[in-house]
Amino acid sequence: MKILCLHGVGSSGAILETQMANFRRELDPSYELVFVDGPFECERGPGVPEYRTGPFFSHTKSYSPIDIAQAIGYLEDILEDEGPFDGIFGFSQGAALTLSYIYQQQAAANPLRVKFACLFSAAMPCSPDVGMGHTIISKLRALEYNIADQTNCNGQDLTIAEQEFVNVLQQTVVDAADKDPLFPWIDMDVYRYGEQDAIPRVMYPSLLAQKIQIPTIHVWGQNDFGYMIKMAEVARSICEECMVKTVLHTGWHDIPKRQTEIKAVIRRIDWAVTQCRG
């Protein structure tokens, strides 16, 4: 069983390998884990301890559609050149990219190069499709709606769809940017004044034509930041419910460390493998 492992932003394959050491010891020896670095060198990421030495990497330059498309293309190259792979273990940004890749392939009716994914503390999934959410974004731009203003004092009446879009962003990336200056996102003013093709196209069910159909396991820490838990919940929501398993652990933004929690994740991975073979 060959698994591609994708690290979080401002981290590296080597750091993720260390993060997963306890988890890896509990896996069946038949699992081969392949750790790779993102293609873009960057600053140390949020939560990466000072004692961890660089270099540090990101899977994306930014989160615009063109940058997400580039990241998906790079991931496709790895899957082809170093595969075949049975699945992906993604952490944080790596988990979000995994979902972006799977959805893009599925929506285009292209063959997937993996059968399942285990996603740890998934960050906000974004689409390479510049048309995703275009009508909502255009309306908010016409209103010069300040999405970063969480006081609800913008004064404009929004439709249910527009308010949902604002709520999703405010509960995730806006809240994260407010509370963590290292959080890797863009200036929210891009939604009002920036170029349309520079605006990140966040993914949540109301904007999607379908949900992700392959088995996915979603794992996050109950003590993680509220905005990161919300991102993980959004990531889970874009996957078909009957093909989803969820494991909550007692940590924060990390891989589970307790043996009982690790074993709970592995049982869900076994379930996913069984689904693929069925």
Side-chain angles (χ1 to χ4, degrees):
M1 188 70 62
K2 190 172 181 180
I3 307 294
L4 179 63
C5 300
L6 302 178
H7 61 78
V9 66
S11 183
S12 67
I15 291 174
L16 180 60
E17 188 170 4
T18 301
Q19 282 180 273
M20 297 189 73
N22 291 346
F23 183 84
R24 194 175 190 177
R25 278 193 289 269
E26 297 295 334
L27 277 174
D28 188 280
S30 64
Y31 278 76
E32 177 189 356
L33 304 189
V34 178
F35 295 86
V36 297
D37 294 328
F40 305 106
E41 195 164 343
C42 66
E43 298 297 318
R44 180 189 308 271
V48 176
E50 290 296 325
Y51 64 82
R52 298 285 188 203
T53 57
F56 307 107
F57 300 93
S58 174
H59 297 288
T60 66
K61 287 182 180 178
S62 181
Y63 297 93
S64 69
I66 191 170
D67 288 319
I68 295 298
Q70 183 181 27
I72 289 173
Y74 181 76
L75 175 54
E76 288 176 326
D77 289 344
I78 293 174
L79 290 169
E80 181 175 358
D81 295 343
E82 301 193 29
F85 290 95
D86 297 285
I88 297 177
F89 291 172
F91 177 72
S92 197
Q93 186 197 60
L97 175 59
T98 299
L99 291 172
S100 300
Y101 160 73
I102 294 171
Y103 183 83
Q104 177 69 10
Q105 295 297 100
Q106 184 179 291
N110 292 330
L112 273 171
R113 295 187 180 274
V114 294
K115 303 180 184 71
F116 73 95
C118 186
L119 309 167
F120 298 91
S121 301
M124 196 69 188
C126 293
S127 173
D129 180 5
V130 73
M132 184 169 289
H134 177 76
T135 301
I136 294 172
I137 291 170
S138 296
K139 171 68 179 300
L140 294 174
R141 285 165 69 88
L143 295 172
E144 294 192 3
Y145 194 97
N146 183 8
I147 297 173
D149 179 7
Q150 299 195 64
T151 63
N152 295 318
C153 295
N154 287 279
Q156 296 98 337
D157 291 327
L158 302 181
T159 66
I160 292 173
E162 291 158 3
Q163 190 62 60
E164 181 184 26
F165 181 86
V166 170
N167 290 346
V168 168
L169 284 174
Q170 288 186 343
Q171 293 168 16
T172 56
V173 294
V174 172
D175 197 28
D178 282 347
K179 294 176 179 174
D180 185 354
L182 293 179
F183 183 76
W185 197 249
I186 45 84
D187 185 340
M188 293 302 296
D189 274 347
V190 72
Y191 283 91
R192 288 194 289 174
Y193 308 124
E195 297 293 330
Q196 283 270 10
D197 59 5
I199 296 174
R201 306 296 165 142
V202 296
M203 300 169 64
Y204 60 91
S206 299
L207 297 182
L208 306 184
Q210 55 187 292
K211 290 194 175 187
I212 287 173
Q213 301 294 316
I214 69 169
T216 55
I217 304 103
H218 300 258
V219 186
W220 66 82
Q222 293 171 298
N223 293 309
D224 204 347
F225 298 107
Y227 51 80
M228 293 307 309
I229 290 175
K230 182 62 180 178
M231 290 186 209
E233 290 174 344
V234 170
R236 179 181 62 180
S237 74
I238 69 172
C239 301
E240 192 63 55
E241 188 173 351
C242 66
M243 299 300 283
V244 165
K245 295 293 183 184
T246 306
V247 180
L248 307 183
H249 62 87
T250 53
W252 68 296
H253 197 68
D254 205 350
I255 308 294
K257 295 292 191 291
R258 294 185 178 181
Q259 187 179 48
T260 54
E261 295 170 342
I262 292 171
K263 287 184 178 297
V265 176
I266 292 174
R267 286 196 298 272
R268 273 57 171 198
I269 293 172
D270 291 341
W271 161 84
V273 171
T274 300
Q275 293 295 312
C276 297
R277 290 172 176 168

